[in-house]
Amino acid sequence: MCPHCRTFQPYVGPWHENLPENVEFSGMPVTFSRSWEPFARAYYTADVLGILDQSHNALFAALHDERKQFRTIGDLAEFHAQFGVDADEFESTASSFPVESRMRIGNASIGKWQVRSTPTLVINGKYRVSPRRGSTFEEMLQIADMLIARELEAAVPADS
């Protein structure tokens, strides 16, 4: 739903593909308002169904480029049918235990990490990196790289 995340996606996509092997990257949608909840649910549903890589950028494009309106999980299920998932299966998965669990964990994590804006990167649960006024996404990712390197160095035993 977030236009800032849509703008960030072309930067973070290639960046996360080039992270060191021992660094895990995972996306987490935020729900700053109730109207964002179906999109977070659709994100987790697409992930559970194994179509997130296909659908994520397509949904951004539908929302922000084509200005399509999605108000319910049913609307989003119909959209995701183009990726080979039956709309009924999408809707039932959207209310399944795995998706409900991810919704709860995601909302709790956003609160724990005090995410107040998007996009935000959280490095090892310790550092929050968000764009600052006048900075670029490239600078944001450079800071993230520095913090990742710091965390990787700290994880190496002293006697190695």
Side-chain angles (χ1 to χ4, degrees), residues 83-111:
F83 302 105
V85 175
D86 179 73
D88 289 336
E89 179 186 8
F90 190 91
E91 283 192 64
S92 67
T93 303
S95 60
S96 69
F97 179 77
V99 172
E100 290 295 334
S101 295
R102 290 180 183 196
M103 291 289 292
R104 281 192 298 278
I105 290 167
N107 288 334
S109 296
I110 298 304

Side-chain angles (χ1 to χ4, degrees), residues 116-143:
R116 305 280 185 253
S117 64
T118 56
T120 295
L121 298 172
V122 177
I123 311 300
N124 206 19
K126 294 181 183 179
Y127 307 102
R128 251 187 353 257
V129 182
S130 300
R132 301 270 186 235
R133 188 168 288 183
S135 69
T136 65
F137 289 140
E138 290 95 344
E139 291 168 331
M140 181 180 163
L141 294 172
Q142 288 171 356
I143 292 167

